[in-house]
Amino acid sequence: MNHRSARRGNARLATIVMLVVVFVPMVLLPSYSIAAPPVVADPYPGRDGFFGIVGEDPYYEWNTDTIKFKGDVNKVLLENMVKQMAASGASWVRIEFFAEYGEVYGPGPIKWEKYDWFITDLCPRYHMNILGLLSYGIVRDTNPTYLLNKVNESVDAADGSNAFIRGFANRAAEIAGHYQGYVAAWEIINEPNSNSNLDFITKGQQQRIYADRMAAIMALTYPRLKQIKGDVPVVLGGLINTSGAYPDNYDVPYLRQLYASQYTAKAGYTAGRGGAPWDVVADHPYELKAAEIPGHVRQMYEVMKQAGEGNKKIWVTETGEQAPVPNVPESGIIPVSDAEAKQTAFLSDTYAGLMKQRDFVERVFWFKYEDFATTGNTVGAQYGLAGFKRDGDYPGEPFPRKDALRAYASLARPAALPTAPEDPDKPTATDGRWFPETKHWIAGPFRTYWERNGGVNRFGLPRTSVYTSAGTVVQIFERARFEWHPENAGTDSEVLLGLLGLVTTRTRTFSTATRPQFDTPDLFPVPAGVQPLPTATPLPTATPLPTATPKPKPTTKPGSTPAPTTKPDDTPEPLPGPPPGPPPYSGLYFAETQHTLTGPFLKFWKQGGGLPVFGFPISEPMIEKNADDGKMYTVQYFERTRLE
């Protein structure tokens, strides 16, 4: 895909070399040789060669950190990239080569130190195969001979070449010779059938390399690269599915034109072989839905079969879908956005469809690993599986991750996912505890915290291995997310619980509560940082009503029978007092979230560890259906959990 500002790689040319009639002196290969690749154990064995990723080019990381790597490539950033690619299951990385500017009499030189460490040291240590892209950028300079539009100028040799094509072939051979034994395949020219730089230079008059010129490039370059190392595949540069201004600019008709070119036929005859001057055809099936890509790639293969080349394979050296880098909330838990979900679905569906065609689709490269850097107000392309942080200390992982990176690993190396079962015979630490129910270990500070604070009844069983997320070491349990904070080592805050309640309710709004008046003070100790509810003002004591004045006893005449005494039930009853108040009730009011905590939720919150374990309440109690059993329960949400 054409990209860097719009699409990096517009001005990139794949290098191709062939020995035919050459009017420019051959560029000599370097006089020094590079040592053989180091023999090291694969840190991520079992990767499938089907999976590749387009990575950040070392060229663009030269002198980006003038403190740690002045006059060098940013080795920390590049190693983090390759390590994460390998850990996620990729076994191939595509990088592009570029010449320097400044030469007057020839194409600009290649600055080998921009590539040597990456190619000869880093990638071998991670058993990462390199697909080297040799595109327009390997011949560029102030010399007008190597302006991009010169590629389409008239030919002056029987092999269909011109000065630009011959210079390109020389440079391709120079690079291939320098990295002999280190680069696993060479891709020649990026998207020759559609190039925005060529369109710009020619003011819209040309958008592609003419098919005959591209055929001549391959015819001249292919045999020279095969002479350097015959078992290294030469890939016909990725033809992009886009129309542009030409009706036949799509990849399928352009491939037909390449097969029909007289220079393709001559190359096959000259080389003493019955085929075109390439081992693999590369395609970039953009502007298609995921479900359409397998059928489109099969159309490419049908063209190959019609040309008698059904024995060759197709590599999809670019496919992708954009999604902005997600924002990282205060919780550190990154929810999946709608754009990420769309990117994830595209990746999963594209790979699933192409994996069913492995009889002729040999490799697929996702475009790309990282989002492009932003410059000023221009937002870079967002095809990456992760963002890249380039200021300060570089993280040891892609950050922020996108959900598509998880999807990629689930296909390329499922064992890389934290949810993958762990080996019961290999504990992660000497104090590990194994749970056969979920096939995961807990150990170290996580085990200590789990056992001291309620264990399975409170947190459930471990559901993942220990992994790093957004720079924090975490482990997921059935009811909690444990986070390790080494800066708090030796304190009660060394392990904290993730703010799962905030994440799961991020799209909901709860009504807040006003400070209530309770009839009794709090019956529990008040944790530090929590504002207790004020005790209610006692009700005034009722003033008793005056008792009734007893009636005088009647007098009796002498000798008469005394009058009967007054019956007890004839005594007037006092008037009733005020009705009894509500039963004793206690609670807490949290000014931080404007919510209350009362009754059984308060009791459980207190006994279960309070603020460090559950966080502040973020809702009032409410009735909700439990998604697992379909029953209605009274629930209350907290920053770190949901109580039911």
Side-chain angles (χ1 to χ4, degrees):
M1 195 174 210
N2 294 330
H3 299 287
R4 185 72 183 170
S5 54
R7 293 176 180 173
R8 181 182 303 170
N10 273 353
R12 306 174 182 180
L13 182 58
T15 57
I16 316 154
V17 193
M18 176 176 170
L19 191 60
V20 191
V21 180
V22 178
F23 294 95
V24 177
M26 287 280 291
V27 176
L28 297 178
L29 299 181
S31 58
Y32 62 95
S33 60
I34 302 176
V39 179
V40 294
D42 187 351
Y44 303 104
R47 284 174 281 163
D48 190 337
F50 187 79
F51 293 89
I53 298 181
V54 178
E56 172 74 345
D57 301 314
Y59 180 91
Y60 291 112
E61 289 304 328
W62 179 260
N63 221 29
T64 57
D65 186 338
T66 57
I67 304 300
K68 298 178 182 178
F69 301 105
K70 186 176 182 179
D72 202 350
V73 293
N74 189 327
K75 292 182 178 179
V76 171
L77 185 146
L78 290 173
E79 180 160 8
N80 288 341
M81 176 186 75
V82 170
K83 178 180 179 180
Q84 290 299 320
M85 285 179 177
S88 299
S91 59
W92 284 79
V93 57
R94 194 192 79 177
I95 62 169
E96 187 170 357
F97 291 84
F98 298 94
E100 304 297 313
Y101 289 102
E103 292 290 327
V104 177
Y105 300 105
I110 299 292
K111 198 169 185 176
W112 304 112
E113 55 266 40
K114 291 186 177 182
Y115 299 95
D116 282 354
W117 173 81
F118 184 92
I119 293 174
T120 66
D121 183 357
L122 177 62
C123 285
R125 281 192 279 120
Y126 289 94
H127 286 234
M128 186 69 75
N129 298 295
I130 297 173
L131 170 60
L133 175 58
L134 303 171
S135 199
Y136 314 102
I138 67 170
V139 285
R140 61 182 185 183
D141 224 308
T142 53
N143 186 333
T145 302
Y146 300 107
L147 293 176
L148 181 56
N149 63 310
K150 298 295 182 179
V151 67
N152 283 331
E153 287 198 344
S154 302
V155 303
D156 55 16
D159 59 12
S161 68
N162 54 34
F164 181 97
I165 293 174
R166 291 189 292 272
F168 177 88
N170 286 340
R171 175 51 55 77
E174 180 186 7
I175 296 172
H178 183 79
Y179 292 114
Q180 179 179 348
Y182 285 91
V183 175
W186 297 105
E187 184 174 7
I188 309 305
I189 307 249
N190 191 53
E191 300 174 354
N193 60 318
S194 180
N195 183 268
S196 60
N197 279 1
L198 188 58
D199 178 69
F200 176 78
I201 291 172
T202 63
K203 298 182 179 180
Q205 298 303 305
Q206 299 175 20
Q207 290 184 326
R208 63 175 185 168
I209 296 178
Y210 299 156
D212 272 355
R213 301 298 179 272
M214 184 62 190
I217 289 174
M218 297 303 298
L220 194 62
T221 305
Y222 177 84
R224 294 178 64 179
L225 296 186
K226 300 302 283 188
Q227 288 172 4
I228 293 171
K229 200 167 192 319
D231 60 349
V232 174
V234 176
V235 182
L236 171 65
L239 309 183
I240 185 172
N241 177 58
T242 184
S243 59
Y246 294 90
D248 55 355
N249 219 34
Y250 285 100
D251 45 5
V252 174
Y254 189 82
L255 181 59
R256 289 196 185 99
Q257 295 171 46
L258 290 178
Y259 275 119
S261 171
Q262 59 176 320
Y263 304 112
T264 297
K266 287 182 179 179
Y269 175 79
T270 304
R273 51 187 300 279
W278 51 79
D279 301 312
V280 176
V281 172
D283 192 42
H284 297 174
Y286 287 110
E287 302 181 12
L288 294 170
K289 297 178 181 178
E292 298 171 333
I293 289 177
H296 179 80
V297 174
R298 181 168 288 279
Q299 289 181 33
M300 295 284 288
Y301 184 60
E302 291 300 322
V303 174
M304 295 166 63
K305 289 200 299 182
Q306 291 169 9
E309 301 241 302
N311 60 312
K312 296 182 179 179
K313 304 293 186 181
I314 289 180
W315 292 9
V316 175
T317 53
E318 286 188 28
T319 183
E321 173 77 23
Q322 296 198 80
V325 174
N327 294 321
V328 182
E330 184 180 352
S331 67
I333 306 172
I334 306 175
V336 178
S337 66
D338 292 342
E340 285 183 89
K342 181 180 178 182
Q343 184 188 46
T344 295
F346 180 88
L347 184 150
S348 300
D349 294 345
T350 297
Y351 269 95
L354 292 175
M355 289 177 73
K356 296 177 181 178
Q357 299 182 154
R358 296 188 69 164
D359 54 327
F360 64 90
V361 178
E362 192 169 31
R363 310 197 196 292
V364 177
F365 290 72
W366 179 261
F367 187 90
K368 61 192 307 286
Y369 175 74
E370 85 295 341
D371 282 352
F372 302 160
T374 58
T375 303
N377 295 324
T378 303
V379 179
Q382 300 169 327
Y383 287 86
L385 298 177
F388 251 17
K389 184 179 179 182
R390 285 179 167 81
D391 57 336
D393 292 329
Y394 304 101
E397 59 166 340
F399 180 81
R401 293 172 182 259
K402 298 182 188 179
D403 186 60
L405 183 58
R406 174 202 56 79
Y408 185 94
S410 70
L411 294 169
R413 188 170 174 261
L417 297 179
T419 52
E422 296 182 86
D423 188 344
D425 299 323
K426 293 182 180 180
T428 56
T430 55
D431 62 343
R433 178 176 173 181
W434 170 253
F435 292 87
E437 300 90 341
T438 59
K439 297 181 173 58
H440 285 291
W441 291 90
I442 61 171
F446 286 165
R447 177 178 179 180
T448 301
Y449 185 91
W450 186 86
E451 292 179 342
R452 288 180 179 176
N453 292 280
V456 68
N457 291 332
R458 179 155 302 139
F459 305 116
L461 299 175
R463 299 301 301 269
T464 71
S465 57
V466 176
Y467 66 99
T468 302
S469 175
T472 301
V473 176
V474 303
Q475 186 171 14
I476 304 299
F477 291 76
E478 289 175 314
R479 301 189 188 98
R481 179 183 192 258
F482 283 21
E483 300 176 351
W484 182 51
H485 293 268
E487 69 276 11
N488 301 329
T491 72
D492 292 338
S493 299
E494 182 175 358
V495 175
L496 296 175
L497 300 185
L499 302 175
L500 293 180
L502 287 176
V503 173
T504 57
T505 62
R506 66 187 184 278
T507 60
R508 301 177 64 179
T509 301
F510 299 112
S511 299
T512 56
T514 57
R515 184 189 302 273
Q517 297 289 322
F518 291 122
D519 294 306
T520 60
D522 178 29
L523 302 179
F524 300 93
V526 179
V530 177
Q531 183 179 359
L533 291 162
T535 57
T537 302
L539 295 172
T541 305
T543 303
L545 294 172
T547 57
T549 303
K551 296 178 180 180
K553 295 181 180 180
T555 57
T556 58
K557 294 179 179 180
S560 62
T561 304
T565 59
T566 305
K567 295 180 180 179
D569 54 355
D570 290 337
T571 303
E573 296 289 346
L575 295 175
Y585 191 52
S586 65
L588 297 174
Y589 177 77
F590 297 85
E592 293 85 349
T593 59
Q594 295 183 286
H595 285 292
T596 61
L597 184 53
T598 60
F601 287 137
L602 172 61
K603 184 177 181 180
F604 189 85
W605 187 89
K606 289 279 193 174
Q607 295 176 346
L611 195 63
V613 174
F614 303 105
F616 292 112
I618 58 175
S619 80
E620 295 297 297
M622 65 189 75
I623 305 296
E624 279 189 350
K625 179 184 291 187
N626 185 303
D628 292 332
D629 61 15
K631 296 180 180 179
M632 305 299 290
Y633 294 93
T634 301
V635 304
Q636 187 170 11
Y637 286 92
F638 296 77
E639 290 178 306
R640 304 181 193 277
T641 192
R642 170 184 184 268
L643 295 184
E644 182 179 276

